[in-house]
Amino acid sequence: MAATFSSPSTVVRLGNATSFSSPLNKTCLSSGFLKSSVRGRNPLRLASACGGNFERDWLRRDFNVIGFGLIGWIAPSSILAINGKSLTGLLFESIGTELAHFPTPPPLTSQFWLWLVLWHLGLFITLTFGQIGFKGRTKDYF
């Protein structure tokens, strides 16, 4: 019985002696039932519901859009269309009026709020359409 334990068995001979000596030399076992490799997954790189990958630069910020969008909004908002005055002029005029009594905030009935909201709403709409148009043109969507 002692001779049986002293001789190497066939199970021990299945493994390579060098594979057990170093952790860098690993024996890769594969099966038809298992995937060949398993990698860690980055949640930002997983496919989304629409089929694409999440882009890191999702905003796709471009200073051309900001510059042309600002010019593209200031030009039409400076047309004398409201009782011989422009929207930009009315906004700046109301800013000056409200700064005349600076520590006191403008009341809710002040025309300042109307011109402020309208001017910025127009600016943001212009910037949004500028971003869509500029990036759509560079990506050959249209």
Side-chain angles (χ1 to χ4, degrees):
M1 185 90 152
T4 308
F5 291 115
S6 65
S7 67
S9 68
T10 56
V11 175
V12 174
R13 290 183 190 166
L14 285 176
N16 190 353
T18 59
S19 67
F20 295 114
S21 63
S22 172
L24 297 176
N25 297 330
K26 293 183 180 177
T27 304
C28 295
L29 301 175
S30 63
S31 171
F33 297 107
L34 300 175
K35 292 182 180 179
S36 61
S37 65
V38 177
R39 297 185 314 173
R41 295 183 183 184
N42 183 352
L44 297 177
R45 300 293 297 170
L46 291 176
S48 65
C50 61
N53 288 335
F54 181 78
E55 297 181 21
R56 291 217 180 262
D57 188 23
W58 60 271
L59 184 59
R60 295 186 207 140
R61 178 176 51 166
D62 192 357
F63 295 115
N64 291 328
V65 175
I66 295 171
F68 289 130
L70 187 62
I71 293 169
W73 174 241
I74 289 178
S77 69
S78 297
I79 296 173
L80 306 174
I82 305 170
N83 294 330
K85 296 181 179 180
S86 67
L87 182 59
T88 303
L90 288 170
L91 175 65
F92 290 155
E93 182 181 321
S94 66
I95 289 172
T97 304
E98 296 302 329
L99 282 177
H101 54 83
F102 169 64
T104 309
L108 292 177
T109 57
S110 174
Q111 289 288 315
F112 165 75
W113 297 113
L114 175 67
W115 306 134
L116 181 80
V117 169
L118 285 177
W119 196 89
H120 282 91
L121 183 67
L123 175 67
F124 296 145
I125 289 172
T126 304
L127 288 174
T128 301
F129 284 136
Q131 178 81 340
I132 292 169
F134 191 84
K135 290 302 176 181
R137 186 80 168 162
T138 57
K139 296 275 187 179
D140 291 330
Y141 290 140
F142 42 85

